[in-house]
Amino acid sequence: MRRLPGLIAMMFIFLVILAAEPVFAEEALQPPAEQTGQPADQTVEQLPETPHSEAAILIDAKSGAVLFAKNETERLYPASITKIVTGIIALEQSNPSDIVTVSKTARNEDGTRIYLAEGEQKPMLDLIEGMLINSGNDAATAIAEHIDGTKEQFAERMNEFVRKLGLWDTNFVNPSGLPDENQYTTARDMARIAQYAMQNEQFRQVVATKSRPWVGEEWVSKLENHNKMLGSYEGAIGVKNGFTQAAGYTLVSAAQRGDMELIGVILKGTTDSGVYKDMTQLLDYGFAHFTSKQVMAADEKRTFVTRDTGKPAEFIADKPLFVTIKDGVVPTVAVDSNGKVYVQSSEVYNPAETAGALVPVIPLAEQAEVQIASVTNSNPVKGSGQAAKFSGWNLGVAITWSVMLLFMLLSGRIMYVRQRRRRLYK
């Protein structure tokens, strides 16, 4: 039994090794052979200048990645780009064929109008076109009153809409963008709103319309789109411009070339021509330096080795998953067990920021285990937002610990009894 203390020491060292957390390499979405990106240019890149604008942002419409930003979180007045929100809500939450009766309040609305008459009746889609193409404030008020009774009630709906998009630096008190100190947005928020709205095919068609005939009770003419990008920039497909003395010149633009679609936002421009120059520089920069790459199609299933567990798991894309590539460099994409997508080795993305989400495919036989894991994963010792890992490895370590500790206790007891006997018989 002289070897027993040495055996116990060896077992203790073995337990320490077992307790160490296993380390796994991250799974790349693309195999190394397919990552044929070029090395990054060592020269200083010329970023676009926006001297005529207080705030600006450029995003990839498909991935949502931010490609350029300037004061993008500063709260500023939106002016008529407010109507993007009014328009998408009207398309989603009313019927385009609904007949809207124009009230006296709508008839006498301030600012740009399409000269609706009090009591005039128009289909909802006509008013949406009059609002988004010709920027009619009277049409915006008529839409709001038809849906919610008053402009104020409709503004509450607008705020609920942007909160559901996760936007907290935007607030509305009217549907048209008329000046009010409590009506504000940011370039980042407005880009996200436009990205969402442009996924609606009918909205896309309206904001891409340059002109259309208009026959009203008091005004027979044609609606003219005030967004000058539609006629001056290759690939421009929308969306809306605005102006008030308080807001300055505002502009939201979308443009498409090949498989790339960009959305730019400019707030508080100093001159009308200046914001279009700034927007042109933004879009030119985006098309020159970035491309969109689809990594999964909608409803596509794929197996990844997850970055947090190191185990293979199957995921499904509920919508197409895109990443943005700069200068031809294909980034590394990693997925965790919850389906959150992260992009590494990229100048476009923050490595710690979620770039998308997939839906884990959980076999029925494993659902009970996952439910247990979701309860066990809460570990207050590790701090906020960090869950303890629950896997077969951890379970095996726990069992091994228990067995070997029991063995060590029994061995210690045997050694104690033997020593006492030796003392008694000396």
Side-chain angles (χ1 to χ4, degrees), residues 304-366:
F304 298 96
V305 175
T306 57
R307 59 182 287 177
D308 53 340
T309 68
K311 291 188 171 185
E314 191 176 27
F315 298 89
I316 188 170
D318 58 353
K319 59 183 179 181
L321 175 64
F322 290 87
V323 297
T324 305
I325 301 169
K326 184 178 182 181
D327 295 328
V329 177
V330 179
T332 301
V333 179
V335 182
D336 69 14
S337 57
N338 294 317
K340 293 181 180 178
V341 178
Y342 301 87
V343 181
Q344 317 293 326
S345 306
S346 168
E347 296 181 32
V348 179
Y349 297 89
N350 180 338
E353 186 177 13
T354 303
L358 302 174
V359 180
V361 179
I362 306 174
L364 292 174
E366 297 180 12

Side-chain angles (χ1 to χ4, degrees), residues 29 87 100 104 137 181 365 372:
L29 187 63
V100 179
K104 181 178 180 180
N137 291 347
E181 62 180 7
I372 294 172

Side-chain angles (χ1 to χ4, degrees), residues 79-102:
S80 281
I81 60 175
T82 296
K83 296 182 175 84
I84 296 173
V85 179
T86 304
I88 188 60
I89 289 176
L91 286 170
E92 289 187 344
Q93 302 181 26
S94 69
N95 192 318
S97 61
D98 285 351
I99 299 301
V100 179
T101 302
V102 179

